[in-house]
Amino acid sequence: MDRIPILQLGRFLLVTIQVDLQDQTALTLQEDLASRIERTGARGVLIDISALEIVDSFIGRMLASISGIARVLDATTVVVGMQPAVAITLVELGLSLPGVRTALNMEHGMKLLENALAEELDQ
Amino acid sequence: MSDPTIGSMPLGNEQDIVMSRQQVRRLAQQLKFSLVDQTKMVTAASELSRNTVVYGGGGEMRWEVVSLGPRQGLRLAFADQGPGIPDLDLALTDGWTSGGGLGMGLSGSRRLVDEFDIRTAPGEGTCVTITRWK
């Protein structure tokens, strides 16, 4: 079975999904991310889906639950790089990914995570 | 290399869901669907393939390139011999789910295609047919 690698960059975790996701691979990623956040104390998770040609309700649900799990573990998640055709289809399908923060690309996503962390340190 | 304009493939497990997406992508590309139309058809196929595998206990996907005058389209049928759907109106409601899903599979995929037909009866399986015209 494919396992999606999780990279650590400072206080953030990076995931790039480059395979056509099987359902079980998506569930495994969810568990792997949860344990990596716990183990590393990461404060942010960036998920790059620019290579994904579709996001169906199963993958949408996975993105939403990763965001939820990460939030409970005190980390912010941002999903980046959704292709326009995927975004159009997703909304028509009826999914708007509530609770999932998104950014256009990796750079914007990193900035978003850094800002979220900086704001917290200010307080 | 082009696929024949009619065919079928088994839907028995998760790997088959991925294969069905790839098959529908190839067919939609051959028909020169726009990228958005390809994405909609592949996404609908993914939802319905998963229903066949998870709720129908497996079955098959059949495909056919159809024409209506000068227009060409892609028709897909997802058939299983599973338990069927007792309350179809309910199953087509946004947010209703019999499993652990979001309940957008059936109702959502209907919005992604031009024609949607479902035949089901308790104990007699389910067949969902969708068509998207170019």
Side-chain angles (χ1 to χ4, degrees):
Chain A
M1 195 194 69
D2 296 318
R3 211 177 187 107
I4 296 170
I6 301 170
L7 307 177
Q8 187 171 3
L9 189 70
R11 310 186 71 178
F12 304 137
L13 299 177
L14 304 183
V15 177
T16 301
I17 301 175
Q18 280 174 330
V19 292
D20 196 345
L21 273 184
Q22 271 196 48
D23 293 0
Q24 189 54 49
T25 313
L27 293 175
T28 305
L29 174 63
Q30 195 171 302
E31 286 164 26
D32 286 352
L33 262 175
S35 60
R36 277 292 282 277
I37 294 170
E38 193 264 338
R39 211 165 63 229
T40 61
R43 302 304 311 280
V45 177
L46 190 136
I47 304 175
D48 175 19
I49 60 163
S50 57
L52 275 190
E53 291 184 331
I54 68 149
V55 172
D56 64 6
S57 64
F58 192 89
I59 301 169
R61 178 160 57 118
M62 176 209 61
L63 294 172
S65 49
I66 285 176
S67 297
I69 293 165
R71 190 163 42 241
V72 174
L73 293 172
D74 200 20
T76 306
T77 303
V78 56
V79 173
V80 306
M82 186 182 293
Q83 295 179 16
V86 173
I88 291 167
T89 301
L90 195 63
V91 170
E92 208 151 310
L93 185 64
L95 297 180
S96 51
L97 300 185
V100 180
R101 302 185 83 164
T102 54
L104 266 190
N105 55 38
M106 194 81 111
E107 200 185 334
H108 290 180
M110 279 307 269
K111 208 160 275 171
L112 198 150
L113 287 180
E114 280 161 6
N115 290 346
L117 194 58
E119 261 171 43
E120 219 173 282
L121 294 175
D122 278 349
Q123 284 166 6
Chain B
M1 197 183 76
S2 71
D3 287 275
T5 56
I6 188 161
S8 68
M9 59 170 285
L11 292 173
N13 55 42
E14 276 188 16
Q15 181 60 32
D16 293 339
I17 301 175
V18 174
M19 303 285 281
S20 76
R21 291 203 286 254
Q22 290 167 355
Q23 177 65 35
V24 173
R25 172 77 63 182
R26 270 200 300 278
L27 291 162
Q29 279 170 346
Q30 274 166 33
L31 284 166
K32 300 196 164 48
F33 276 26
S34 72
L35 183 59
V36 170
D37 284 355
Q38 285 178 34
T39 307
K40 287 181 179 176
M41 200 57 172
V42 174
T43 306
S46 184
E47 299 291 346
L48 297 172
S49 296
R50 184 176 295 103
N51 283 355
T52 301
V53 171
V54 175
Y55 302 116
E60 63 169 8
M61 176 180 84
R62 296 189 288 270
W63 66 85
E64 188 182 355
V65 174
V66 289
S67 10
L68 187 71
R71 293 183 83 190
Q72 275 199 312
L74 179 59
R75 180 167 291 155
L76 305 172
F78 300 83
D80 66 61
Q81 305 296 318
I85 303 171
D87 188 340
L88 197 52
D89 287 340
L90 188 62
L92 285 167
T93 307
D94 271 353
W96 183 87
T97 174
S98 64
L102 287 169
M104 300 312 267
L106 213 49
S107 55
S109 55
R110 178 152 74 164
R111 282 192 290 271
L112 297 178
V113 297
D114 296 316
E115 292 165 26
F116 181 97
D117 177 70
I118 180 164
R119 281 154 214 271
T120 183
E124 286 172 34
T126 301
C127 182
V128 181
T129 307
I130 57 174
T131 310
R132 188 154 184 111
W133 296 98
K134 205 193 151 203

